[in-house]
Amino acid sequence: RAEHRLDLDAMLVRNVTTDTRGPFGEGARRDGNSIFIFEAAGLCIGHLGHLHQIPSDEQYAAIGRLDVVMVPVDGGYTMRLSDMAGVVRRLRSSVVIPMHWFSQDSLDRFLAEMSAEFTVVETGGAQIALSRDDLPSEPTIMVLEPAYLD
């Protein structure tokens, strides 16, 4: 089991392990994924990684409150979009950033699933700057545009 807790003074990086599906149908691989959590400048930011299973109550408790969560919304490599939407609802983060949307269709389906409960903001860019003081008052999905790295 991979356990990480790295205190960098200005930032704490920790993880919560989750299981993954085996690539050849052999069932779950225990602790094959990590949800990474970054605590810095009063913000708690979560990266769900390749989440394949709905977290248990114990895992949700270990994750804690996330101000910002990065969520894979591919709908296939990770979890079904309806299951991922349920995870997002349970986390109740102020900002949700969809990631791993390898097609516009999977992003659009996720946004359609969530739009009744979350404000959707098309940022028009590949990055955003957030602070504790400027978190939205309503749960908000912020869609970033992909950008190629130089």
Side-chain angles (χ1 to χ4, degrees), residues 58-127:
E58 294 80 18
Q59 289 166 322
Y60 277 116
I63 293 166
R65 171 79 180 141
L66 297 177
D67 299 302
V68 179
V69 64
M70 294 176 275
V71 181
V73 297
D74 55 75
Y77 294 108
T78 54
M79 292 182 354
R80 293 181 307 183
L81 289 175
S82 60
D83 290 338
M84 193 62 74
V87 171
V88 170
R89 286 183 185 104
R90 174 124 183 221
L91 289 171
R92 296 183 182 164
S93 301
S94 296
V95 174
V96 176
I97 300 173
M99 62 178 188
H100 300 182
W101 49 280
F102 303 123
S103 73
Q104 188 67 44
D105 179 61
S106 67
L107 175 63
D108 289 344
R109 288 186 294 128
F110 176 75
L111 296 176
E113 173 87 22
M114 303 304 296
S115 63
E117 302 157 72
F118 288 74
T119 300
V120 175
V121 174
E122 302 276 347
T123 66
Q127 60 188 1

